Amino acid sequence: MEHPMEYSMKRAATKWSGVVLACALAACQPATDPKAEAAAQAAAQEQAADEMAKAFEAQYDKQNWQLARAHGDVLAAKYPASAAFGRIEARYNEVKEKAAQAREQSRTAALWTYQTQPLKKGEQVSASIYAKGYVDTDGSGPRPVQLIFRDHPDWGTSSYLVLEKGDFDCYGGCKVKLKVDDAAPKPVAASRPKTDEAIAMFIEDEKMLWKTVKSAKVIAIEFPVKAGGARTAVFEVGGLDPSKMPAKWGR
């Protein structure tokens, strides 16, 4: 039987041999080079940035401003100091503006509604838009105001405002004030038809109003109401698609 002292000495020798071997193995490993590691990391980041820049450039060439902006945003956030970002930075600034314009155009285009209704003698075609904010026309609270351009086979062309509540004070004719973008308001002839079928008021020169709307971003129409005084409806008209109306309206 092995003496306890001999057993302890053998265990100690074995453990020490393991430590020596581990140290020897560690000594055989190549020393880490911080500069090489940093260079490798920088190269990997530059490659990733270059891939993002190429994705940006592909969408830029297609004039897909929204996607180009998205790729540019990621590149600017993750690798702003990269050579790849420096290569596309000027175009990225250009794209940010174009993307904002595209978003605004999409938003204002969605404000318009176009309808075609078959009739016995042809079809009625209309383009309509609601005012930016509700208007209190009779003291009962703010409600929608709508501007409509209509082409009817029997009644011809017309433009008119429609109220949900209240009424216009324009029976027999009146003047409304039309303000276009930043220009000063100007008087425009209007009239309220003698009918209860709809609370509507015609803007008499519909071709003038249509031409105005085609080139404007925002118009405001101030009109008299039966409740007293005048009210103003503001319309963001910049997204109009003139091709939705018959060619005689002018495109």
Side-chain angles (χ1 to χ4, degrees), residues 111-171:
L111 300 176
W112 284 93
T113 299
Y114 307 95
Q115 293 182 329
T116 300
Q117 179 183 354
L119 301 173
K120 289 182 179 180
K121 296 182 180 180
E123 60 183 17
Q124 173 180 279
V125 184
S126 66
S128 62
I129 185 172
Y130 281 100
K132 181 179 180 180
Y134 286 4
V135 181
D136 189 344
T137 55
D138 67 346
S140 65
R143 297 180 185 273
V145 178
Q146 191 175 25
L147 171 63
I148 300 176
F149 293 93
R150 182 184 65 192
D151 192 289
H152 193 281
D154 292 325
W155 306 332
T157 59
S158 56
S159 60
Y160 52 97
L161 294 177
V162 177
L163 301 181
E164 189 176 277
K165 292 283 288 184
D167 203 348
F168 299 100
D169 186 16
C170 195
Y171 287 92

Side-chain angles (χ1 to χ4, degrees), residues 26-38 40:
C28 291
Q29 299 298 319
T32 301
D33 185 348
K35 291 184 178 180
E37 278 193 353

Side-chain angles (χ1 to χ4, degrees), residues 104-114 129 213-218 235-244:
E104 179 64 8
Q105 182 64 25
S106 295
R107 184 188 71 82
T108 55
L111 300 176
W112 284 93
T113 299
Y114 307 95
I129 185 172
V213 166
K214 284 197 305 176
S215 59
K217 291 184 178 179
V218 178
F235 301 91
E236 295 181 280
V237 297
L240 174 68
D241 182 355
S243 69
K244 298 294 186 180

